Amino acid sequence: MEIREVFARNLRAARQAKGLSQEELAHRADIDRTYISSLERSVYNASIDVVDRLATVLGIEACELLKRPPMESQMPTAELDD
């Protein structure tokens, strides 16, 4: 999984865990809502400054938005059964 996809998944999960809409997150981070949508769909790369602003609003460390899932969850199910 590419880092842009990792970021997108983590951003969406963190936003939803906080109960925030894309619009509310965008407002609090002073970012356009369509940009949040694009980040969550892996359309754009976020600058490190944007990653930090989003993490601050979400109440997490920036590194949490870039953390890859454990290897087992990245492997297809058939490979786990072997």
Side-chain angles (χ1 to χ4, degrees), residues 12-22 24-25 28 58:
R12 182 178 296 118
R15 177 181 60 75
Q16 290 174 340
K18 291 288 185 182
L20 296 174
S21 66
Q22 289 179 345
E24 183 61 24
L25 176 59
R28 291 182 186 187
L58 293 167

Side-chain angles (χ1 to χ4, degrees), residues 7-8 11 13 19 21 24 26 32 38 40 44 50 52-53 55 58-59 63 66 71-72 76 78 80-81:
F7 175 74
L11 176 60
S21 66
E24 183 61 24
D32 190 85
S38 294
E40 289 188 1
Y44 295 131
V50 168
D52 186 56
R53 283 185 8 215
L58 293 167
C63 63
L66 301 173
M71 289 304 291
E72 294 87 39
L80 291 175
D81 293 336

